[in-house]
Amino acid sequence: MKKAHRLAGAVLLALAAVTVAPAAAEASWVPEPEPATYGHSQPTAASVTMDDGVMLSTQVVYPTDPATGARAPGTFPVLLSQTPYGMAGPDPRAGGAYFVERGYIYVTASVRGTGASGGQLDWFGARQGRDGAALVGWAAHGLPGSDGNVGLDGCSYLGVDQWYTAAEAGPHSALKAIAPFCTDSEMYEDLATVGGVPTTFIPSIAHAFPRGPQDNPQTDPLSVTVNDLTTGGARSYDNPYWHGLDVQDLMPRIVANGIPALSEAGWKDLFPGGSIGAYVAAQNAYFHRPVTAPIAAGQRVTGRYHAVVGPWTHGEHVNEDVLSNIRKEWFDTWLKGRPTGMANTTKPLHLFQNGGDRWVDTAAWPPSTGTGTYYLDSGNALTTTRPTAAGTDEISSALTYTTTPLARDAVLDGPIDVSLYLKSTTPDAYVAATVNLVSPTGVVTKVSDGGLLASLRELDTRQSWYGSGHALIQPSHPFTQASQRLLTPNETVKMDISVLPNFTVLPAGYRLQVVLNSQAPANFHFQLAPTPQQKAHLGSGQFSISRAPWAPSSITVPLAAPASFTTSPVTWGPSS
């Protein structure tokens, strides 16, 4: 039997030896704020016809002479934003004024089926991608004042939609760069479900879209997705529909089309750290590696693909000056050909270190391969040794397990696996796992969470990630109907819960904690809505967790020495 990976005591003494070496500070790009040069015009409306005859509605804002208010002479690159929420309204910043005042034309288009645009609304996908590609062509070659270079801008839906346009644009498009902010990487697991159970997000957000004159919200393609998620239809599983929306699956096409991407998300986002998966996929696709594999220390990366993850909620600070200026520098690099240095960095992943209150630049993800494994033990303890006596704990409310105080500082730097040996009285069970950090005074700070439906526990070892000693740190599950295996009542099964990644300092004297619930707790990152079939199988079952030596439930966290990281010379956004 292999010795357990230990976090406390001796293992932390040797932690620096098994993690990445301290990196020298890189003489890298530092953003230079640029004052506004132009004014901005009032939006002017324009309609653009798609290949199937559907008309999309747009509004265009031009740079103006600040003294006269007249449209500025000459040509400018174009930034395009595609929205399902209707036009931006009277706020000029929402219409891209920051960029217009610094030499860009800004176009906002209503996606088909919304606002004044024709057609039927869908939940992203190739059709919206083809529409976006057509809008890019029009913005480059049919829009007065355009210099023929186009970028994509926007946050949330307006960010995610950029990936589909980039995939459909083709290798010789006028699309030169994208900046998908507030985005996820894998639609089914990031937004539609958590651990196989549907969230309330897509059904609820569908009501927020102002439907277009030709859309029928009862029959449009989006309604099929909503209906399946709420009734247990085909799209409540990870089927070909979701594969078509998977940004990671699309990434080889985006890279082959030659389109650089700067993505962004928050550690407190709807999909915490959601831009990291896209970063990993882009870097791997560029160097012809498997797109969903981790990026190991020393593997090549390119400055064509950056990602920023800050300590923010969804959309927070995006249109404030710091993040607006970073996007402008990105577009200046690729649309105006300015030598900003962004394309030359060797550390294009920019992470806010929670608890360290600093920005760190890296290339690898996870940055280190070191791990620490804790076992659920009697007395609500997490210990570094396997339990020596058999025991079980029932999840009647919440089960909480906590370590002793940590002996040395460490950094949790990646995804987390919670491995449970579970027994249920019903054909299914759901377990939500929350990982916390507990201060010496007892203050509890949430680090991350995740969940899994036991019937969808099948592990895909080829897609899962492993740390040192082949310790599982990011379990991957097919989530297909074919992979579903209902439980035999009172039979013990093993399930590995994927807890979302994080980048957090674990100070000496603090304690790690894992809390297990039989349903999503109030502070879970998404509200869940089990399908009727899932509710029937869950019933009012009783679930218990094994603490036996032959069935040891545990949590494995990725660990690095704090000295492995240096502070970034760039402030990538506000620190709160």
Side-chain angles (χ1 to χ4, degrees):
M1 182 181 296
K2 294 182 178 179
K3 292 183 179 178
H5 299 285
R6 301 171 185 267
L7 180 61
V11 166
L12 271 179
L13 290 172
L15 190 58
V18 297
T19 56
V20 291
E26 182 179 13
S28 61
W29 164 82
V30 177
E32 295 292 341
E34 179 183 333
T37 304
Y38 301 94
H40 58 268
S41 71
Q42 291 299 309
T44 58
S47 295
V48 185
T49 304
M50 300 295 102
D51 61 306
D52 60 355
V54 167
M55 300 282 288
L56 299 191
S57 171
T58 75
Q59 288 187 352
V60 184
V61 179
Y62 283 97
T64 62
D65 183 323
T68 66
R71 207 173 98 185
T75 59
F76 300 90
V78 180
L79 297 183
L80 168 66
S81 183
Q82 301 166 81
T83 177
Y85 299 111
M87 290 306 172
D91 179 7
R93 183 175 294 277
Y98 185 94
F99 303 100
V100 175
E101 292 168 358
R102 289 158 180 83
Y104 288 89
I105 299 170
Y106 204 92
V107 176
T108 304
S110 288
V111 301
R112 65 171 54 212
T114 68
S117 291
Q120 294 274 85
L121 176 61
D122 201 353
W123 182 251
F124 299 112
R127 177 64 264 181
Q128 287 189 17
R130 292 194 296 274
D131 289 349
L135 288 168
V136 166
W138 166 77
H141 308 298
L143 179 65
S146 169
D147 72 359
N149 296 295
V150 181
L152 301 182
D153 182 51
C155 165
S156 192
Y157 195 109
L158 292 68
V160 178
D161 215 21
Q162 296 178 43
W163 297 114
Y164 305 102
T165 295
E168 296 291 335
H172 305 295
S173 169
L175 182 57
K176 304 305 180 185
I178 62 175
F181 271 40
C182 328
T183 63
D184 69 314
S185 302
E186 205 284 332
M187 189 70 67
Y188 178 82
E189 293 184 53
D190 289 344
L191 279 175
T193 67
V194 176
V197 173
T199 72
T200 60
F201 180 76
I202 296 177
S204 63
I205 198 69
H207 298 294
F209 301 142
R211 294 309 213 274
Q214 297 174 350
D215 184 74
N216 183 341
Q218 302 303 315
T219 61
D220 63 24
L222 176 56
S223 69
V224 176
T225 301
V226 171
N227 183 68
D228 278 8
L229 289 173
T230 53
T231 64
R235 293 180 186 177
S236 64
Y237 298 95
D238 195 3
N239 67 0
Y241 169 79
W242 294 111
H243 291 298
L245 301 183
D246 189 333
V247 171
Q248 297 169 113
D249 286 353
L250 293 175
M251 202 59 72
R253 291 171 56 193
I254 296 169
V255 170
N257 288 340
I259 300 170
L262 166 68
S263 58
E264 178 268 0
W267 290 124
K268 301 174 185 177
D269 215 318
L270 294 173
F271 21 80
S275 59
I276 295 177
Y279 165 82
V280 169
Q283 295 290 350
N284 283 333
Y286 189 82
F287 291 103
H288 307 289
R289 302 186 296 250
V291 292
T292 58
I295 301 175
Q299 285 189 308
R300 296 175 65 193
V301 296
T302 172
R304 295 176 65 84
Y305 301 100
H306 287 239
V308 178
V309 186
W312 313 311
T313 58
H314 189 61
E316 191 175 15
H317 304 302
V318 164
N319 286 326
E320 295 174 10
D321 285 352
V322 175
L323 287 172
S324 292
N325 185 56
I326 287 171
R327 299 206 310 282
K328 183 198 70 68
E329 294 273 292
W330 180 251
F331 292 129
D332 284 355
T333 302
W334 301 106
L335 276 69
K336 294 186 176 180
R338 291 183 178 173
T340 63
M342 288 190 83
N344 302 323
T345 181
T346 59
K347 297 175 185 176
L349 179 57
H350 317 293
L351 307 173
F352 187 82
Q353 191 179 73
N354 297 302
D357 295 328
R358 63 171 180 164
W359 286 94
V360 167
D361 300 323
T362 185
W365 183 260
S368 73
T369 59
T371 60
T373 295
Y374 276 100
Y375 296 96
L376 280 57
D377 211 339
S378 59
N380 301 108
L382 286 176
T383 63
T384 57
T385 55
R386 288 173 179 259
T388 56
T392 59
D393 293 326
E394 286 194 7
I395 311 181
S396 54
S397 54
L399 290 176
T400 301
Y401 302 87
T402 310
T403 69
T404 57
L406 305 180
R408 290 180 178 271
D409 294 349
V411 178
L412 188 156
D413 64 333
I416 302 166
D417 170 57
V418 174
S419 180
L420 302 178
Y421 287 86
L422 175 138
K423 183 167 60 177
S424 173
T425 61
T426 49
D428 215 343
Y430 189 83
V431 180
T434 303
V435 177
N436 299 319
L437 188 60
V438 184
S439 77
T441 60
V443 176
V444 177
T445 302
K446 178 180 171 182
V447 175
S448 190
D449 62 23
L452 182 63
L453 194 68
S455 62
L456 294 172
R457 65 192 179 277
E458 181 178 311
L459 187 67
D460 184 345
T461 56
R462 296 172 301 173
Q463 298 291 323
S464 298
W465 290 7
Y466 298 85
S468 57
H470 203 64
L472 181 63
I473 57 171
Q474 182 169 290
S476 177
H477 306 282
F479 292 118
T480 61
Q481 192 165 12
S483 72
Q484 188 170 38
R485 298 289 183 272
L486 292 176
L487 307 178
T488 300
N490 296 315
E491 178 185 4
T492 300
V493 299
K494 184 174 185 288
M495 57 188 290
D496 286 281
I497 301 172
S498 178
V499 175
L500 291 166
N502 211 277
F503 190 55
T504 296
V505 173
L506 310 178
Y510 281 61
R511 294 173 292 157
L512 269 178
Q513 182 182 85
V514 61
V515 181
L516 306 177
N517 285 275
S518 60
Q519 54 188 348
N523 68 340
F524 207 60
H525 72 280
F526 263 132
Q527 183 178 351
L528 304 185
T531 68
Q533 298 91 326
Q534 290 171 348
K535 289 180 181 177
H537 291 146
L538 291 167
S540 55
Q542 296 179 343
F543 316 135
S544 60
I545 304 299
S546 167
R547 294 186 278 99
W550 56 87
S553 298
S554 63
I555 172 175
T556 299
V557 295
L559 294 171
S564 301
F565 306 101
T566 56
T567 302
S568 173
V570 176
T571 298
W572 292 94
S575 60
S576 63

